[in-house]
Amino acid sequence: MARVEFAAPLKNFTDNLERCEVSGKTAGDAMREIADRFPGMRDKLLKEDGTLRAYFIVLVDGRDIRMLEREQTPVRADSVIRIVPAIAGG
């Protein structure tokens, strides 16, 4: 199973877990699995239609999914997925 690592600010929504495992075969599947497992993450990660919000950067094996196949980015059993808040400002 792939490992998901949460940035520190997200631990408030993941029962203080720093990581967990998911079985999804794509980045989108993995994020929906996280949203199902941790209801507090659902509104933060997903839009009403189930697609990913832009509030977070999702990395699969160190590569930003926005530069790959977005939600369809493949996830292997040995993949590491990191979810980090997007930083914005001026």
Side-chain angles (χ1 to χ4, degrees):
M1 296 179 90
R3 185 176 74 216
V4 178
E5 297 177 347
F6 304 105
L10 300 178
K11 288 176 34 178
N12 292 333
F13 307 104
T14 62
D15 300 329
N16 283 325
L17 293 176
E18 294 179 4
R19 66 185 59 87
C20 71
E21 292 186 338
V22 294
S23 59
K25 301 295 182 198
T26 67
D29 290 343
M31 294 305 99
R32 285 184 281 280
E33 187 174 334
I34 291 298
D36 288 344
R37 189 175 303 173
F38 304 108
M41 290 286 289
R42 176 169 294 285
D43 291 340
K44 290 166 184 25
L45 279 178
L46 304 176
K47 298 177 192 175
E48 287 184 22
D49 66 1
T51 59
L52 292 175
R53 292 188 182 276
Y55 304 148
F56 296 96
I57 297 170
V58 178
L59 306 170
V60 173
D61 297 325
R63 299 184 65 202
D64 188 335
I65 67 169
R66 295 174 299 176
M67 305 303 163
L68 300 170
E69 298 176 51
R70 298 191 172 267
E71 292 182 40
Q72 296 306 313
T73 299
V75 171
R76 298 183 323 264
D78 63 344
S79 287
V80 175
I81 302 167
R82 287 198 37 85
I83 306 172
V84 294
I87 304 297

